[in-house]
Amino acid sequence: MTRVPKTNRLILVAALVIGGLLSGCSGGEERAESPKLRQCETLLGAESVRAVVKATGGDDVSVSGTPQADVLADQLVREAKEWRQSDLLHNSYTGCRMDVFEGDRIIGVADVQVQWSVLTLRMMDSPKHSRTWRQVNPSVYVEPEAASGFMHVIAACAVPGTIDSQPSDLPLQFYVSGPSLGKELRWDLLSTFARSVVEAMDCAKPPVIPSALPAAA
């Protein structure tokens, strides 16, 4: 029988102890303390982020996206200042995407994004859009059921320093995808995200986005 030297035995025990500690920190607890999740909580609200995991019944969450609100604002302002009348498409920026797991299986998703809208406030009064969009105040509209599990918010934000041909009511469009989430939770995520970004924007007249889901929606 081969004897393991005492020094080697001590090294082996230490390795097993460290390995056990690392394995005990893996999974949801490790991800829950990740910087990306903390950024996501800043953008969407810590209680709402926890509510997403609870609503789906998951035990772990993987997060992507999540730049700070001022980073998103800088990207949006830069795009607005480079806007040309012939531009029809706008970039979409991910604020936060959460994939909720049960074991190795994704059982829920929450994804919030923002972009400059191809719509304008003047379009909201047309029969086509008035059927689904609800006016919250003079500069904010909500589409509570854009599709199954989707919700959109349009908020006017005229950016100083853009070319004259940019519409003065060019709105930002925020949206959330969360098929397994209720309407109230989707609104909590979306409205908190929209306020975070708008507060970091240099809107000539900042839109007022309510924290409570509008009754008309």
Side-chain angles (χ1 to χ4, degrees):
M1 179 176 178
T2 303
R3 293 177 58 86
V4 179
K6 183 177 180 181
T7 302
N8 290 352
R9 289 203 304 272
L10 291 175
I11 294 173
L12 178 61
V13 169
L16 290 172
V17 170
I18 293 172
L21 290 173
L22 290 176
S23 64
C25 292
S26 64
E29 186 177 348
E30 183 181 25
R31 290 178 180 176
E33 296 300 323
S34 72
K36 278 189 173 293
L37 189 58
R38 287 195 291 272
Q39 290 179 22
C40 195
E41 290 174 346
T42 300
L43 282 172
L44 308 180
E47 290 186 8
S48 296
V49 169
R50 289 193 291 268
V52 169
V53 181
K54 183 177 180 180
T56 57
D59 54 19
D60 199 1
V61 59
S62 176
V63 183
S64 57
T66 67
Q68 296 291 337
D70 58 345
V71 175
L72 288 170
D74 287 345
Q75 292 171 323
L76 289 162
V77 169
R78 187 181 308 114
E79 185 180 348
K81 289 182 177 181
E82 294 174 354
W83 187 88
R84 295 293 178 268
Q85 196 167 15
S86 58
D87 293 342
L88 298 177
L89 299 177
H90 300 280
N91 296 320
S92 181
Y93 304 96
T94 298
C96 174
R97 177 186 172 93
M98 293 180 286
D99 293 300
V100 183
F101 288 80
E102 185 177 49
D104 294 330
R105 183 171 60 93
I106 295 178
I107 60 172
V109 174
D111 186 9
V112 293
Q113 300 187 33
V114 60
Q115 68 181 81
W116 289 109
S117 182
V118 296
L119 303 173
T120 67
L121 297 188
R122 289 187 292 273
M123 293 181 181
M124 296 295 100
D125 293 330
S126 70
K128 176 182 177 181
H129 296 104
S130 62
R131 288 194 297 268
T132 57
W133 289 91
R134 303 289 181 266
Q135 186 171 11
V136 177
N137 56 50
S139 58
V140 175
Y141 287 77
V142 58
E143 190 178 28
E145 292 294 340
S148 179
F150 282 79
M151 181 180 286
H152 289 184
V153 164
I154 273 183
C157 177
V159 177
T162 58
I163 62 175
D164 292 339
S165 58
Q166 183 192 27
S168 60
D169 63 348
L170 181 70
L172 294 165
Q173 187 163 340
F174 302 88
Y175 58 96
V176 60
S177 169
S180 59
L181 310 178
K183 184 186 291 187
E184 293 286 346
L185 181 51
R186 284 198 293 271
W187 176 257
D188 288 343
L189 295 169
L190 188 59
S191 62
T192 304
F193 174 57
R195 286 195 302 275
S196 297
V197 174
V198 165
E199 287 172 4
M201 295 283 290
D202 189 22
C203 303
K205 186 178 180 181
V208 178
I209 301 164
S211 57
L213 180 64

